[in-house]
mmCIF file of all heavy atoms in Angstrom:
data_model
loop_
_atom_site.group_PDB
_atom_site.id
_atom_site.type_symbol
_atom_site.label_atom_id
_atom_site.label_comp_id
_atom_site.label_asym_id
_atom_site.label_seq_id
_atom_site.Cartn_x
_atom_site.Cartn_y
_atom_site.Cartn_z
ATOM 1 N N GLN Z 5 124.592 -12.294 70.419
ATOM 2 C CA GLN Z 5 125.865 -11.880 69.824
ATOM 3 C C GLN Z 5 126.695 -13.102 69.435
ATOM 4 O O GLN Z 5 127.315 -13.126 68.376
ATOM 5 C CB GLN Z 5 126.650 -11.005 70.798
ATOM 6 C CG GLN Z 5 126.063 -9.637 71.005
ATOM 7 C CD GLN Z 5 126.749 -8.886 72.124
ATOM 8 O OE1 GLN Z 5 127.169 -9.472 73.124
ATOM 9 N NE2 GLN Z 5 126.848 -7.569 71.967
ATOM 10 N N ARG Z 6 126.701 -14.092 70.312
ATOM 11 C CA ARG Z 6 127.435 -15.328 70.043
ATOM 12 C C ARG Z 6 126.877 -16.019 68.802
ATOM 13 O O ARG Z 6 127.624 -16.469 67.937
ATOM 14 C CB ARG Z 6 127.354 -16.240 71.262
ATOM 15 C CG ARG Z 6 128.029 -17.559 71.096
ATOM 16 C CD ARG Z 6 127.738 -18.466 72.302
ATOM 17 N NE ARG Z 6 128.954 -19.114 72.689
ATOM 18 C CZ ARG Z 6 129.705 -18.818 73.723
ATOM 19 N NH1 ARG Z 6 129.337 -17.880 74.546
ATOM 20 N NH2 ARG Z 6 130.801 -19.473 73.981
ATOM 21 N N GLU Z 7 125.550 -16.110 68.700
ATOM 22 C CA GLU Z 7 124.920 -16.749 67.538
ATOM 23 C C GLU Z 7 125.216 -15.982 66.253
ATOM 24 O O GLU Z 7 125.460 -16.585 65.207
ATOM 25 C CB GLU Z 7 123.420 -16.867 67.765
ATOM 26 C CG GLU Z 7 123.059 -17.889 68.823
ATOM 27 C CD GLU Z 7 121.589 -17.875 69.222
ATOM 28 O OE1 GLU Z 7 120.826 -17.017 68.718
ATOM 29 O OE2 GLU Z 7 121.212 -18.729 70.042
ATOM 30 N N LEU Z 8 125.214 -14.661 66.337
ATOM 31 C CA LEU Z 8 125.535 -13.838 65.169
ATOM 32 C C LEU Z 8 126.979 -14.068 64.734
ATOM 33 O O LEU Z 8 127.266 -14.204 63.538
ATOM 34 C CB LEU Z 8 125.300 -12.361 65.484
ATOM 35 C CG LEU Z 8 125.589 -11.378 64.361
ATOM 36 C CD1 LEU Z 8 124.680 -11.639 63.170
ATOM 37 C CD2 LEU Z 8 125.415 -9.960 64.858
ATOM 38 N N LEU Z 9 127.884 -14.129 65.697
ATOM 39 C CA LEU Z 9 129.288 -14.382 65.382
ATOM 40 C C LEU Z 9 129.463 -15.751 64.739
ATOM 41 O O LEU Z 9 130.182 -15.892 63.745
ATOM 42 C CB LEU Z 9 130.140 -14.278 66.646
ATOM 43 C CG LEU Z 9 131.624 -14.583 66.487
ATOM 44 C CD1 LEU Z 9 132.267 -13.655 65.463
ATOM 45 C CD2 LEU Z 9 132.329 -14.475 67.826
ATOM 46 N N ILE Z 10 128.816 -16.761 65.269
ATOM 47 C CA ILE Z 10 128.903 -18.109 64.704
ATOM 48 C C ILE Z 10 128.386 -18.123 63.276
ATOM 49 O O ILE Z 10 129.008 -18.702 62.383
ATOM 50 C CB ILE Z 10 128.154 -19.127 65.589
ATOM 51 C CG1 ILE Z 10 128.916 -19.337 66.897
ATOM 52 C CG2 ILE Z 10 127.962 -20.454 64.862
ATOM 53 C CD1 ILE Z 10 128.158 -20.126 67.936
ATOM 54 N N ARG Z 11 127.261 -17.464 63.027
ATOM 55 C CA ARG Z 11 126.712 -17.409 61.664
ATOM 56 C C ARG Z 11 127.672 -16.691 60.716
ATOM 57 O O ARG Z 11 127.849 -17.101 59.564
ATOM 58 C CB ARG Z 11 125.344 -16.735 61.662
ATOM 59 C CG ARG Z 11 124.239 -17.626 62.195
ATOM 60 C CD ARG Z 11 122.844 -17.150 61.823
ATOM 61 N NE ARG Z 11 122.626 -15.734 61.967
ATOM 62 C CZ ARG Z 11 122.051 -15.137 63.014
ATOM 63 N NH1 ARG Z 11 121.631 -15.853 64.027
ATOM 64 N NH2 ARG Z 11 121.888 -13.833 63.036
ATOM 65 N N ALA Z 12 128.307 -15.625 61.189
ATOM 66 C CA ALA Z 12 129.265 -14.893 60.355
ATOM 67 C C ALA Z 12 130.479 -15.766 60.036
ATOM 68 O O ALA Z 12 130.959 -15.793 58.894
ATOM 69 C CB ALA Z 12 129.699 -13.616 61.054
ATOM 70 N N LEU Z 13 130.985 -16.486 61.037
ATOM 71 C CA LEU Z 13 132.128 -17.372 60.811
ATOM 72 C C LEU Z 13 131.770 -18.492 59.833
ATOM 73 O O LEU Z 13 132.560 -18.830 58.940
ATOM 74 C CB LEU Z 13 132.610 -17.958 62.134
ATOM 75 C CG LEU Z 13 133.253 -16.983 63.118
ATOM 76 C CD1 LEU Z 13 133.485 -17.652 64.460
ATOM 77 C CD2 LEU Z 13 134.542 -16.409 62.561
ATOM 78 N N GLU Z 14 130.592 -19.067 59.994
ATOM 79 C CA GLU Z 14 130.149 -20.130 59.089
ATOM 80 C C GLU Z 14 129.957 -19.598 57.671
ATOM 81 O O GLU Z 14 130.296 -20.278 56.696
ATOM 82 C CB GLU Z 14 128.860 -20.757 59.609
ATOM 83 C CG GLU Z 14 129.065 -21.589 60.837
ATOM 84 C CD GLU Z 14 127.788 -22.066 61.492
ATOM 85 O OE1 GLU Z 14 126.714 -21.475 61.254
ATOM 86 O OE2 GLU Z 14 127.860 -23.044 62.258
ATOM 87 N N PHE Z 15 129.439 -18.384 57.541
ATOM 88 C CA PHE Z 15 129.267 -17.782 56.222
ATOM 89 C C PHE Z 15 130.619 -17.600 55.536
ATOM 90 O O PHE Z 15 130.794 -17.954 54.376
ATOM 91 C CB PHE Z 15 128.549 -16.433 56.334
ATOM 92 C CG PHE Z 15 128.404 -15.724 55.022
ATOM 93 C CD1 PHE Z 15 127.410 -16.097 54.141
ATOM 94 C CD2 PHE Z 15 129.273 -14.713 54.674
ATOM 95 C CE1 PHE Z 15 127.277 -15.449 52.911
ATOM 96 C CE2 PHE Z 15 129.144 -14.065 53.450
ATOM 97 C CZ PHE Z 15 128.148 -14.433 52.568
ATOM 98 N N TYR Z 16 131.592 -17.074 56.279
ATOM 99 C CA TYR Z 16 132.936 -16.880 55.723
ATOM 100 C C TYR Z 16 133.532 -18.221 55.292
ATOM 101 O O TYR Z 16 134.081 -18.344 54.197
ATOM 102 C CB TYR Z 16 133.835 -16.210 56.768
ATOM 103 C CG TYR Z 16 135.258 -16.026 56.325
ATOM 104 C CD1 TYR Z 16 135.611 -14.979 55.488
ATOM 105 C CD2 TYR Z 16 136.260 -16.901 56.738
ATOM 106 C CE1 TYR Z 16 136.922 -14.812 55.069
ATOM 107 C CE2 TYR Z 16 137.563 -16.737 56.330
ATOM 108 C CZ TYR Z 16 137.890 -15.694 55.502
ATOM 109 O OH TYR Z 16 139.189 -15.540 55.090
ATOM 110 N N ARG Z 17 133.414 -19.226 56.156
ATOM 111 C CA ARG Z 17 133.930 -20.566 55.846
ATOM 112 C C ARG Z 17 133.285 -21.116 54.580
ATOM 113 O O ARG Z 17 133.953 -21.643 53.696
ATOM 114 C CB ARG Z 17 133.676 -21.505 57.019
ATOM 115 C CG ARG Z 17 134.139 -22.929 56.777
ATOM 116 C CD ARG Z 17 133.513 -23.903 57.726
ATOM 117 N NE ARG Z 17 132.067 -23.920 57.528
ATOM 118 C CZ ARG Z 17 131.200 -24.355 58.416
ATOM 119 N NH1 ARG Z 17 131.603 -24.801 59.575
ATOM 120 N NH2 ARG Z 17 129.911 -24.344 58.156
ATOM 121 N N ASP Z 18 131.965 -20.980 54.490
ATOM 122 C CA ASP Z 18 131.242 -21.525 53.349
ATOM 123 C C ASP Z 18 131.551 -20.767 52.066
ATOM 124 O O ASP Z 18 131.695 -21.376 51.000
ATOM 125 C CB ASP Z 18 129.738 -21.516 53.616
ATOM 126 C CG ASP Z 18 129.351 -22.457 54.752
ATOM 127 O OD1 ASP Z 18 130.177 -23.297 55.152
ATOM 128 O OD2 ASP Z 18 128.211 -22.323 55.249
ATOM 129 N N GLU Z 19 131.658 -19.443 52.149
ATOM 130 C CA GLU Z 19 131.976 -18.647 50.964
ATOM 131 C C GLU Z 19 133.363 -18.975 50.423
ATOM 132 O O GLU Z 19 133.568 -18.995 49.221
ATOM 133 C CB GLU Z 19 131.887 -17.148 51.267
ATOM 134 C CG GLU Z 19 130.476 -16.632 51.343
ATOM 135 C CD GLU Z 19 129.736 -16.739 50.015
ATOM 136 O OE1 GLU Z 19 130.259 -16.240 48.997
ATOM 137 O OE2 GLU Z 19 128.654 -17.348 49.992
#
Side-chain angles (χ1 to χ4, degrees):
Q5 289 171 325
R6 178 187 224 104
E7 290 171 357
L8 180 62
L9 177 58
I10 290 170
R11 284 197 316 262
L13 292 171
E14 289 172 340
F15 177 79
Y16 177 80
R17 178 198 63 200
D18 294 346
E19 284 296 307

